[in-house]
């Protein structure tokens, strides 16, 4: 019963049983992929962890790739939920980066989200990895969206002198990603939202909310 | 014969046979760990790739962990060779970051070095990974060394106004690490040494050599 309560966030009790089971499998895979990677995670062990047979698992996810896809969708859903909690996508650069600091603070309270992203994104750099196209597209989109926010700051004269707007989105995304590795290895030494706020202070003229 | 020639860099012909074989195994593991990760790499496949029996492989590396250790040592040796090519470790912040740009440019010409680091460092964030202690220590040392260079720039008044010296080393290491992922996924969209030079221009008052 304690398990069900703990899982209520992703699998409310009033869901049909199949839906609940599906959410439970995604949750187990989310954790496993972040801990041992996609390639090394075993469908048999995942089924056992969820208390379903291999056939039961394959009913919901006929291939390991389909489970990977569902996990990536779930991660994106969680990200969007926290990033855009204040409403629609903002065109305002200051609001964008204030939201980004909040998202990084939220992630710092949720190591599983951070592990999953760090492990899968680097694993997916291999030419034959099934998540490679997803991550290529995701980074292109992330750079485009963040660059719009940077360009908004540049237009409003809010970047400090000598800060080059072009390419700055790639830099900041890289910084956030790389900091996750250092934080996962030494959580007591690294405060991710604190580092992001301080770095932004050296690039942007006004204090972010 | 073509194989031997291609491998001359790490295994010169005048080495004793055992040494050459050992270097060859390390090289194969270097590639495999960077492509599929440490956990997912198979000792049997590594042995086959080097044309040795499993017993032959175990003669040189009795455990997979001992091979991992040798691969990490080899990567560190290559890094040091290029980073400190100009002589001893520098106390000069400007020289340090100029060397760092050269190292990043060197790595951009050597995807295997970049893959190995990106894949192993994120895989090693798992609590039970044998390389976790190595990476924890390595990042602590890297932050300490780079922070000395940052502090040297701060003392000489070479940081731009509003740039906070404390913690900046962690930020720059994070940026370099994160950029590797974007570059591995989209090598044509990202120029790593170019990004590093531009970001440093926004933080440091003088142009780096």
């Amino acid at each position: 019963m304690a398990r069900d309560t703990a899982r209520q966030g992703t699998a409310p009790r009033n869901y049909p049983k199949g839906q609940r089971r599906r959410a439970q499998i995604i949750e187990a895979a989310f954790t496993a992929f972040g801990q041992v990677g996609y390639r090394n995670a075993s469908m048999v062990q995942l089924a056992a962890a969820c208390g379903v047979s291999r056939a039961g698992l394959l009913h919901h996810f006929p291939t390991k790739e389909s489970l990977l896809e569902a996990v990536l969708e779930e991660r994106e859903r969680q990200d969007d939920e926290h990033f855009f909690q204040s409403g629609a996508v903002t065109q305002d650069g200051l609001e964008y980066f204030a939201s980004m600091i909040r998202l990084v603070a939220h992630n710092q309270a949720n190591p599983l989200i951070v592990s999953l992203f760090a492990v899968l994104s680097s694993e997916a750099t291999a030419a034959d990895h099934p998540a490679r196209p997803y991550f290529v597209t995701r980074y292109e989109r992330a750079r485009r969206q963040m660059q719009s926010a940077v360009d908004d700051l540049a237009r409003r004269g809010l970047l400090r002198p000598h800060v080059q707007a072009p390419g700055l989105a790639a830099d900041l995304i890289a910084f956030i990603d790389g900091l996750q590795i250092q934080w996962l290895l030494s959580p007591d030494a690294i405060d991710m939202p604190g580092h992001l706020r301080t770095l932004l202070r050296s690039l942007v003229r006004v204090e972010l909310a």
Side-chain angles (χ1 to χ4, degrees), chain A:
Chain A
M1 289 315 248
R3 279 168 76 104
D4 276 333
T5 310
R7 288 216 166 87
Q8 241 171 351
T10 50
R13 276 156 187 248
N14 57 351
Y15 266 34
K17 195 176 163 222
Q19 283 278 81
R20 209 163 59 217
R21 182 49 54 89
R22 192 177 183 277
Q24 197 188 6
I25 295 169
I26 292 174
E27 197 187 338
F30 199 106
T31 306
F33 292 173
Q35 274 169 355
V36 301
Y38 166 74
R39 282 188 152 129
N40 206 52
S42 134
M43 289 290 267
V44 173
Q45 280 170 19
L46 274 174
C50 299
V52 296
S53 64
R54 190 170 154 74
L57 179 63
L58 294 177
H59 166 71
H60 290 285
F61 299 101
T63 62
K64 202 176 168 189
E65 282 80 2
S66 63
L67 181 53
L68 174 63
E69 204 177 307
V71 166
L72 291 171
E73 265 169 26
E74 171 59 20
R75 196 200 176 275
E76 201 132 321
R77 195 192 59 70
Q78 290 183 17
D79 239 30
D80 287 355
E81 191 177 297
H82 289 91
F83 193 60
F84 303 120
Q85 57 188 333
S86 44
V89 183
T90 177
Q91 298 297 315
D92 181 310
L94 292 178
E95 274 182 37
Y96 180 94
F97 284 107
S99 296
M100 187 55 72
I101 294 173
R102 283 197 300 273
L103 178 64
V104 170
H106 171 262
N107 286 350
Q108 181 159 294
N110 295 275
L112 286 183
I113 294 182
V114 179
S115 296
L116 180 80
F117 190 83
V119 170
L120 283 190
S121 62
S122 62
E123 195 184 353
T125 59
D128 63 344
H129 196 284
R132 184 179 168 102
Y134 167 84
F135 279 104
V136 170
T137 307
R138 191 192 173 283
Y139 274 107
E140 284 169 358
R141 195 179 60 235
R143 283 194 292 265
R144 213 165 41 236
Q145 284 175 354
M146 195 187 282
Q147 193 61 46
S148 295
V150 167
D151 293 344
D152 176 58
L153 296 180
R155 262 193 306 274
R156 293 157 68 188
L158 295 177
L159 295 181
R160 294 204 185 272
H162 312 291
V163 173
Q164 296 290 317
L168 188 57
D171 298 350
L172 290 170
I173 292 166
F175 158 76
I176 292 169
D177 287 349
L179 206 59
Q180 295 185 337
I181 302 289
Q182 292 184 57
W183 175 71
L184 287 167
L185 289 168
S186 296
D188 296 335
I190 300 289
D191 174 53
M192 294 194 291
H195 273 268
L196 177 55
R197 190 178 283 280
T198 305
L199 185 64
L200 286 172
R201 235 175 240 150
S202 70
L203 303 171
V204 179
R205 282 173 186 275
V206 294
E207 187 68 17
L208 291 156

mmCIF file of all heavy atoms in Angstrom, chain A residues 129-168:
data_model
loop_
_atom_site.group_PDB
_atom_site.id
_atom_site.type_symbol
_atom_site.label_atom_id
_atom_site.label_comp_id
_atom_site.label_asym_id
_atom_site.label_seq_id
_atom_site.Cartn_x
_atom_site.Cartn_y
_atom_site.Cartn_z
ATOM 1 N N HIS A 129 23.006 4.577 -31.514
ATOM 2 C CA HIS A 129 22.088 4.566 -30.364
ATOM 3 C C HIS A 129 20.686 4.999 -30.801
ATOM 4 O O HIS A 129 20.539 5.988 -31.511
ATOM 5 C CB HIS A 129 22.617 5.499 -29.274
ATOM 6 C CG HIS A 129 21.978 5.257 -27.937
ATOM 7 N ND1 HIS A 129 20.708 5.685 -27.638
ATOM 8 C CD2 HIS A 129 22.424 4.617 -26.833
ATOM 9 C CE1 HIS A 129 20.407 5.327 -26.398
ATOM 10 N NE2 HIS A 129 21.443 4.679 -25.886
ATOM 11 N N PRO A 130 19.647 4.271 -30.341
ATOM 12 C CA PRO A 130 18.287 4.610 -30.796
ATOM 13 C C PRO A 130 17.811 5.997 -30.345
ATOM 14 O O PRO A 130 16.904 6.559 -30.971
ATOM 15 C CB PRO A 130 17.414 3.503 -30.179
ATOM 16 C CG PRO A 130 18.241 2.883 -29.104
ATOM 17 C CD PRO A 130 19.657 3.049 -29.526
ATOM 18 N N ALA A 131 18.407 6.557 -29.277
ATOM 19 C CA ALA A 131 17.962 7.883 -28.822
ATOM 20 C C ALA A 131 18.761 9.020 -29.463
ATOM 21 O O ALA A 131 18.483 10.185 -29.202
ATOM 22 C CB ALA A 131 18.038 7.978 -27.298
ATOM 23 N N ARG A 132 19.751 8.669 -30.304
ATOM 24 C CA ARG A 132 20.563 9.741 -30.908
ATOM 25 C C ARG A 132 19.718 10.776 -31.670
ATOM 26 O O ARG A 132 19.849 11.977 -31.422
ATOM 27 C CB ARG A 132 21.667 9.151 -31.799
ATOM 28 C CG ARG A 132 22.591 10.235 -32.375
ATOM 29 C CD ARG A 132 23.722 9.694 -33.238
ATOM 30 N NE ARG A 132 24.328 10.799 -33.937
ATOM 31 C CZ ARG A 132 25.487 11.390 -33.600
ATOM 32 N NH1 ARG A 132 26.177 10.937 -32.591
ATOM 33 N NH2 ARG A 132 25.944 12.412 -34.272
ATOM 34 N N PRO A 133 18.824 10.350 -32.580
ATOM 35 C CA PRO A 133 18.030 11.357 -33.312
ATOM 36 C C PRO A 133 17.206 12.231 -32.364
ATOM 37 O O PRO A 133 17.085 13.432 -32.581
ATOM 38 C CB PRO A 133 17.122 10.503 -34.211
ATOM 39 C CG PRO A 133 17.812 9.175 -34.312
ATOM 40 C CD PRO A 133 18.535 8.972 -33.028
ATOM 41 N N TYR A 134 16.663 11.615 -31.312
ATOM 42 C CA TYR A 134 15.894 12.397 -30.331
ATOM 43 C C TYR A 134 16.753 13.504 -29.725
ATOM 44 O O TYR A 134 16.340 14.656 -29.650
ATOM 45 C CB TYR A 134 15.358 11.467 -29.221
ATOM 46 C CG TYR A 134 14.824 12.225 -28.029
ATOM 47 C CD1 TYR A 134 13.518 12.713 -28.012
ATOM 48 C CD2 TYR A 134 15.636 12.486 -26.918
ATOM 49 C CE1 TYR A 134 13.033 13.431 -26.928
ATOM 50 C CE2 TYR A 134 15.158 13.211 -25.827
ATOM 51 C CZ TYR A 134 13.855 13.678 -25.843
ATOM 52 O OH TYR A 134 13.397 14.396 -24.769
ATOM 53 N N PHE A 135 17.964 13.153 -29.276
ATOM 54 C CA PHE A 135 18.800 14.150 -28.606
ATOM 55 C C PHE A 135 19.338 15.209 -29.586
ATOM 56 O O PHE A 135 19.450 16.370 -29.231
ATOM 57 C CB PHE A 135 19.934 13.483 -27.818
ATOM 58 C CG PHE A 135 19.467 12.985 -26.473
ATOM 59 C CD1 PHE A 135 19.238 11.635 -26.253
ATOM 60 C CD2 PHE A 135 19.238 13.872 -25.433
ATOM 61 C CE1 PHE A 135 18.785 11.176 -25.017
ATOM 62 C CE2 PHE A 135 18.794 13.430 -24.189
ATOM 63 C CZ PHE A 135 18.566 12.075 -23.982
ATOM 64 N N VAL A 136 19.651 14.788 -30.815
ATOM 65 C CA VAL A 136 20.085 15.779 -31.817
ATOM 66 C C VAL A 136 18.993 16.844 -31.976
ATOM 67 O O VAL A 136 19.244 18.046 -31.875
ATOM 68 C CB VAL A 136 20.384 15.107 -33.176
ATOM 69 C CG1 VAL A 136 20.586 16.157 -34.272
ATOM 70 C CG2 VAL A 136 21.625 14.210 -33.076
ATOM 71 N N THR A 137 17.750 16.389 -32.179
ATOM 72 C CA THR A 137 16.617 17.305 -32.380
ATOM 73 C C THR A 137 16.345 18.123 -31.132
ATOM 74 O O THR A 137 16.082 19.325 -31.191
ATOM 75 C CB THR A 137 15.353 16.482 -32.745
ATOM 76 O OG1 THR A 137 15.682 15.641 -33.842
ATOM 77 C CG2 THR A 137 14.195 17.381 -33.112
ATOM 78 N N ARG A 138 16.411 17.475 -29.970
ATOM 79 C CA ARG A 138 16.116 18.149 -28.714
ATOM 80 C C ARG A 138 17.097 19.301 -28.462
ATOM 81 O O ARG A 138 16.708 20.381 -28.035
ATOM 82 C CB ARG A 138 16.195 17.137 -27.568
ATOM 83 C CG ARG A 138 15.635 17.702 -26.282
ATOM 84 C CD ARG A 138 15.945 16.853 -25.088
ATOM 85 N NE ARG A 138 15.531 17.538 -23.886
ATOM 86 C CZ ARG A 138 16.184 18.528 -23.336
ATOM 87 N NH1 ARG A 138 17.307 18.951 -23.877
ATOM 88 N NH2 ARG A 138 15.731 19.130 -22.248
ATOM 89 N N TYR A 139 18.391 19.043 -28.724
ATOM 90 C CA TYR A 139 19.386 20.107 -28.516
ATOM 91 C C TYR A 139 19.209 21.228 -29.529
ATOM 92 O O TYR A 139 19.387 22.400 -29.201
ATOM 93 C CB TYR A 139 20.808 19.547 -28.562
ATOM 94 C CG TYR A 139 21.269 19.015 -27.225
ATOM 95 C CD1 TYR A 139 21.391 17.659 -26.985
ATOM 96 C CD2 TYR A 139 21.573 19.901 -26.188
ATOM 97 C CE1 TYR A 139 21.802 17.184 -25.753
ATOM 98 C CE2 TYR A 139 21.990 19.430 -24.946
ATOM 99 C CZ TYR A 139 22.105 18.075 -24.732
ATOM 100 O OH TYR A 139 22.502 17.605 -23.503
ATOM 101 N N GLU A 140 18.880 20.875 -30.768
ATOM 102 C CA GLU A 140 18.641 21.930 -31.773
ATOM 103 C C GLU A 140 17.510 22.842 -31.297
ATOM 104 O O GLU A 140 17.609 24.063 -31.349
ATOM 105 C CB GLU A 140 18.290 21.312 -33.138
ATOM 106 C CG GLU A 140 19.514 20.742 -33.862
ATOM 107 C CD GLU A 140 19.152 19.890 -35.074
ATOM 108 O OE1 GLU A 140 17.937 19.695 -35.340
ATOM 109 O OE2 GLU A 140 20.084 19.405 -35.748
ATOM 110 N N ARG A 141 16.436 22.218 -30.823
ATOM 111 C CA ARG A 141 15.283 22.982 -30.358
ATOM 112 C C ARG A 141 15.641 23.816 -29.123
ATOM 113 O O ARG A 141 15.302 24.987 -29.021
ATOM 114 C CB ARG A 141 14.126 22.033 -30.035
ATOM 115 C CG ARG A 141 12.784 22.729 -29.892
ATOM 116 C CD ARG A 141 11.673 21.738 -29.596
ATOM 117 N NE ARG A 141 11.909 21.016 -28.359
ATOM 118 C CZ ARG A 141 11.942 19.689 -28.229
ATOM 119 N NH1 ARG A 141 11.751 18.927 -29.279
ATOM 120 N NH2 ARG A 141 12.162 19.130 -27.056
ATOM 121 N N ALA A 142 16.368 23.174 -28.182
ATOM 122 C CA ALA A 142 16.741 23.878 -26.942
ATOM 123 C C ALA A 142 17.608 25.094 -27.259
ATOM 124 O O ALA A 142 17.412 26.173 -26.692
ATOM 125 C CB ALA A 142 17.466 22.927 -26.001
ATOM 126 N N ARG A 143 18.568 24.914 -28.186
ATOM 127 C CA ARG A 143 19.427 26.053 -28.556
ATOM 128 C C ARG A 143 18.591 27.171 -29.190
ATOM 129 O O ARG A 143 18.785 28.351 -28.882
ATOM 130 C CB ARG A 143 20.527 25.610 -29.541
ATOM 131 C CG ARG A 143 21.672 24.849 -28.873
ATOM 132 C CD ARG A 143 22.888 24.731 -29.801
ATOM 133 N NE ARG A 143 22.654 23.872 -30.948
ATOM 134 C CZ ARG A 143 22.974 22.584 -31.004
ATOM 135 N NH1 ARG A 143 23.544 21.984 -29.971
ATOM 136 N NH2 ARG A 143 22.755 21.878 -32.093
ATOM 137 N N ARG A 144 17.662 26.795 -30.068
ATOM 138 C CA ARG A 144 16.831 27.788 -30.754
ATOM 139 C C ARG A 144 15.981 28.568 -29.742
ATOM 140 O O ARG A 144 15.931 29.791 -29.779
ATOM 141 C CB ARG A 144 15.928 27.062 -31.757
ATOM 142 C CG ARG A 144 15.634 27.851 -33.009
ATOM 143 C CD ARG A 144 15.056 26.978 -34.106
ATOM 144 N NE ARG A 144 14.089 26.014 -33.625
ATOM 145 C CZ ARG A 144 14.175 24.696 -33.811
ATOM 146 N NH1 ARG A 144 15.196 24.172 -34.460
ATOM 147 N NH2 ARG A 144 13.234 23.881 -33.341
ATOM 148 N N GLN A 145 15.329 27.835 -28.829
ATOM 149 C CA GLN A 145 14.457 28.490 -27.845
ATOM 150 C C GLN A 145 15.250 29.403 -26.918
ATOM 151 O O GLN A 145 14.863 30.539 -26.672
ATOM 152 C CB GLN A 145 13.709 27.439 -27.010
ATOM 153 C CG GLN A 145 12.557 26.803 -27.784
ATOM 154 C CD GLN A 145 11.886 25.677 -27.005
ATOM 155 O OE1 GLN A 145 12.333 25.287 -25.935
ATOM 156 N NE2 GLN A 145 10.798 25.148 -27.556
ATOM 157 N N MET A 146 16.376 28.885 -26.395
ATOM 158 C CA MET A 146 17.142 29.709 -25.462
ATOM 159 C C MET A 146 17.781 30.887 -26.192
ATOM 160 O O MET A 146 17.900 31.976 -25.638
ATOM 161 C CB MET A 146 18.194 28.892 -24.724
ATOM 162 C CG MET A 146 18.731 29.659 -23.514
ATOM 163 S SD MET A 146 20.110 28.869 -22.678
ATOM 164 C CE MET A 146 19.303 27.596 -21.723
ATOM 165 N N GLN A 147 18.179 30.681 -27.459
ATOM 166 C CA GLN A 147 18.784 31.781 -28.205
ATOM 167 C C GLN A 147 17.777 32.923 -28.408
ATOM 168 O O GLN A 147 18.165 34.094 -28.383
ATOM 169 C CB GLN A 147 19.341 31.277 -29.545
ATOM 170 C CG GLN A 147 20.273 32.277 -30.244
ATOM 171 C CD GLN A 147 21.519 32.623 -29.414
ATOM 172 O OE1 GLN A 147 22.180 31.750 -28.867
ATOM 173 N NE2 GLN A 147 21.828 33.923 -29.271
ATOM 174 N N SER A 148 16.489 32.592 -28.574
ATOM 175 C CA SER A 148 15.465 33.643 -28.674
ATOM 176 C C SER A 148 15.448 34.479 -27.409
ATOM 177 O O SER A 148 15.308 35.703 -27.458
ATOM 178 C CB SER A 148 14.065 33.040 -28.857
ATOM 179 O OG SER A 148 13.979 32.381 -30.069
ATOM 180 N N ALA A 149 15.576 33.829 -26.264
ATOM 181 C CA ALA A 149 15.581 34.542 -24.982
ATOM 182 C C ALA A 149 16.834 35.418 -24.874
ATOM 183 O O ALA A 149 16.774 36.562 -24.425
ATOM 184 C CB ALA A 149 15.522 33.543 -23.827
ATOM 185 N N VAL A 150 17.990 34.880 -25.307
ATOM 186 C CA VAL A 150 19.241 35.648 -25.298
ATOM 187 C C VAL A 150 19.110 36.863 -26.220
ATOM 188 O O VAL A 150 19.477 37.987 -25.858
ATOM 189 C CB VAL A 150 20.430 34.760 -25.745
ATOM 190 C CG1 VAL A 150 21.665 35.609 -26.042
ATOM 191 C CG2 VAL A 150 20.744 33.696 -24.697
ATOM 192 N N ASP A 151 18.547 36.634 -27.416
ATOM 193 C CA ASP A 151 18.414 37.722 -28.388
ATOM 194 C C ASP A 151 17.473 38.804 -27.865
ATOM 195 O O ASP A 151 17.680 39.993 -28.134
ATOM 196 C CB ASP A 151 17.933 37.177 -29.740
ATOM 197 C CG ASP A 151 18.996 36.290 -30.395
ATOM 198 O OD1 ASP A 151 20.169 36.352 -29.966
ATOM 199 O OD2 ASP A 151 18.651 35.522 -31.314
ATOM 200 N N ASP A 152 16.453 38.392 -27.121
ATOM 201 C CA ASP A 152 15.550 39.381 -26.510
ATOM 202 C C ASP A 152 16.339 40.268 -25.530
ATOM 203 O O ASP A 152 16.198 41.490 -25.545
ATOM 204 C CB ASP A 152 14.404 38.660 -25.787
ATOM 205 C CG ASP A 152 13.492 39.634 -25.059
ATOM 206 O OD1 ASP A 152 12.929 40.533 -25.728
ATOM 207 O OD2 ASP A 152 13.358 39.534 -23.823
ATOM 208 N N LEU A 153 17.190 39.651 -24.706
ATOM 209 C CA LEU A 153 18.016 40.423 -23.763
ATOM 210 C C LEU A 153 18.954 41.372 -24.525
ATOM 211 O O LEU A 153 19.134 42.527 -24.136
ATOM 212 C CB LEU A 153 18.836 39.489 -22.861
ATOM 213 C CG LEU A 153 18.044 38.577 -21.915
ATOM 214 C CD1 LEU A 153 19.006 37.724 -21.084
ATOM 215 C CD2 LEU A 153 17.139 39.391 -20.988
ATOM 216 N N ALA A 154 19.544 40.866 -25.617
ATOM 217 C CA ALA A 154 20.472 41.681 -26.410
ATOM 218 C C ALA A 154 19.751 42.903 -26.995
ATOM 219 O O ALA A 154 20.252 44.026 -26.911
ATOM 220 C CB ALA A 154 21.089 40.828 -27.522
ATOM 221 N N ARG A 155 18.563 42.674 -27.552
ATOM 222 C CA ARG A 155 17.783 43.778 -28.148
ATOM 223 C C ARG A 155 17.461 44.857 -27.130
ATOM 224 O O ARG A 155 17.443 46.037 -27.438
ATOM 225 C CB ARG A 155 16.448 43.229 -28.693
ATOM 226 C CG ARG A 155 16.431 42.938 -30.171
ATOM 227 C CD ARG A 155 14.995 42.723 -30.673
ATOM 228 N NE ARG A 155 14.286 41.695 -29.901
ATOM 229 C CZ ARG A 155 14.350 40.384 -30.166
ATOM 230 N NH1 ARG A 155 15.073 39.934 -31.171
ATOM 231 N NH2 ARG A 155 13.678 39.529 -29.419
ATOM 232 N N ARG A 156 17.191 44.407 -25.893
ATOM 233 C CA ARG A 156 16.817 45.360 -24.831
ATOM 234 C C ARG A 156 18.052 45.935 -24.131
ATOM 235 O O ARG A 156 17.916 46.647 -23.138
ATOM 236 C CB ARG A 156 15.910 44.649 -23.819
ATOM 237 C CG ARG A 156 14.558 44.263 -24.415
ATOM 238 C CD ARG A 156 13.891 43.131 -23.669
ATOM 239 N NE ARG A 156 13.464 43.501 -22.326
ATOM 240 C CZ ARG A 156 12.993 42.633 -21.431
ATOM 241 N NH1 ARG A 156 12.914 41.340 -21.740
ATOM 242 N NH2 ARG A 156 12.629 43.040 -20.243
ATOM 243 N N GLY A 157 19.246 45.614 -24.642
ATOM 244 C CA GLY A 157 20.466 46.155 -24.047
ATOM 245 C C GLY A 157 20.745 45.611 -22.657
ATOM 246 O O GLY A 157 21.392 46.266 -21.837
ATOM 247 N N LEU A 158 20.275 44.405 -22.372
ATOM 248 C CA LEU A 158 20.434 43.854 -21.022
ATOM 249 C C LEU A 158 21.648 42.931 -20.874
ATOM 250 O O LEU A 158 21.943 42.460 -19.779
ATOM 251 C CB LEU A 158 19.155 43.109 -20.606
ATOM 252 C CG LEU A 158 17.907 43.996 -20.465
ATOM 253 C CD1 LEU A 158 16.678 43.162 -20.111
ATOM 254 C CD2 LEU A 158 18.138 45.073 -19.394
ATOM 255 N N LEU A 159 22.339 42.644 -21.984
ATOM 256 C CA LEU A 159 23.578 41.869 -21.855
ATOM 257 C C LEU A 159 24.706 42.827 -21.480
ATOM 258 O O LEU A 159 24.735 43.979 -21.918
ATOM 259 C CB LEU A 159 23.916 41.152 -23.168
ATOM 260 C CG LEU A 159 22.936 40.073 -23.623
ATOM 261 C CD1 LEU A 159 23.424 39.442 -24.935
ATOM 262 C CD2 LEU A 159 22.769 38.989 -22.556
ATOM 263 N N ARG A 160 25.634 42.337 -20.691
ATOM 264 C CA ARG A 160 26.766 43.185 -20.308
ATOM 265 C C ARG A 160 27.647 43.441 -21.544
ATOM 266 O O ARG A 160 27.620 42.663 -22.502
ATOM 267 C CB ARG A 160 27.583 42.501 -19.207
ATOM 268 C CG ARG A 160 26.801 42.357 -17.905
ATOM 269 C CD ARG A 160 27.730 42.250 -16.711
ATOM 270 N NE ARG A 160 26.983 41.986 -15.487
ATOM 271 C CZ ARG A 160 26.469 42.934 -14.693
ATOM 272 N NH1 ARG A 160 26.614 44.217 -15.008
ATOM 273 N NH2 ARG A 160 25.822 42.594 -13.591
ATOM 274 N N PRO A 161 28.444 44.519 -21.497
ATOM 275 C CA PRO A 161 29.339 44.786 -22.622
ATOM 276 C C PRO A 161 30.276 43.577 -22.818
ATOM 277 O O PRO A 161 30.573 42.883 -21.844
ATOM 278 C CB PRO A 161 30.152 46.000 -22.167
ATOM 279 C CG PRO A 161 29.521 46.497 -20.908
ATOM 280 C CD PRO A 161 28.608 45.450 -20.381
ATOM 281 N N HIS A 162 30.719 43.324 -24.017
ATOM 282 C CA HIS A 162 31.643 42.232 -24.358
ATOM 283 C C HIS A 162 30.979 40.855 -24.372
ATOM 284 O O HIS A 162 31.616 39.874 -24.726
ATOM 285 C CB HIS A 162 32.858 42.181 -23.413
ATOM 286 C CG HIS A 162 33.487 43.514 -23.224
ATOM 287 N ND1 HIS A 162 34.177 44.149 -24.237
ATOM 288 C CD2 HIS A 162 33.505 44.365 -22.169
ATOM 289 C CE1 HIS A 162 34.607 45.323 -23.806
ATOM 290 N NE2 HIS A 162 34.206 45.491 -22.547
ATOM 291 N N VAL A 163 29.719 40.761 -23.957
ATOM 292 C CA VAL A 163 29.031 39.462 -24.062
ATOM 293 C C VAL A 163 28.493 39.346 -25.475
ATOM 294 O O VAL A 163 27.784 40.228 -25.953
ATOM 295 C CB VAL A 163 27.886 39.351 -23.029
ATOM 296 C CG1 VAL A 163 27.079 38.080 -23.256
ATOM 297 C CG2 VAL A 163 28.455 39.378 -21.610
ATOM 298 N N GLN A 164 28.888 38.272 -26.154
ATOM 299 C CA GLN A 164 28.425 38.021 -27.522
ATOM 300 C C GLN A 164 27.137 37.215 -27.459
ATOM 301 O O GLN A 164 27.142 36.103 -26.934
ATOM 302 C CB GLN A 164 29.465 37.196 -28.287
ATOM 303 C CG GLN A 164 30.806 37.888 -28.483
ATOM 304 C CD GLN A 164 30.704 39.032 -29.464
ATOM 305 O OE1 GLN A 164 30.061 38.895 -30.505
ATOM 306 N NE2 GLN A 164 31.290 40.181 -29.130
ATOM 307 N N ALA A 165 26.056 37.749 -28.029
ATOM 308 C CA ALA A 165 24.797 37.005 -28.024
ATOM 309 C C ALA A 165 24.859 35.727 -28.885
ATOM 310 O O ALA A 165 24.438 34.664 -28.423
ATOM 311 C CB ALA A 165 23.647 37.898 -28.467
ATOM 312 N N PRO A 166 25.407 35.797 -30.123
ATOM 313 C CA PRO A 166 25.358 34.584 -30.958
ATOM 314 C C PRO A 166 26.095 33.416 -30.290
ATOM 315 O O PRO A 166 27.225 33.577 -29.841
ATOM 316 C CB PRO A 166 26.061 34.999 -32.254
ATOM 317 C CG PRO A 166 25.998 36.492 -32.269
ATOM 318 C CD PRO A 166 26.033 36.924 -30.834
ATOM 319 N N GLY A 167 25.455 32.289 -30.226
ATOM 320 C CA GLY A 167 26.090 31.105 -29.648
ATOM 321 C C GLY A 167 25.986 31.010 -28.136
ATOM 322 O O GLY A 167 26.345 29.976 -27.558
ATOM 323 N N LEU A 168 25.481 32.048 -27.476
ATOM 324 C CA LEU A 168 25.447 32.017 -26.009
ATOM 325 C C LEU A 168 24.494 30.945 -25.480
ATOM 326 O O LEU A 168 24.730 30.353 -24.420
ATOM 327 C CB LEU A 168 25.066 33.405 -25.466
ATOM 328 C CG LEU A 168 25.182 33.597 -23.948
ATOM 329 C CD1 LEU A 168 26.586 33.290 -23.441
ATOM 330 C CD2 LEU A 168 24.796 35.026 -23.544
#
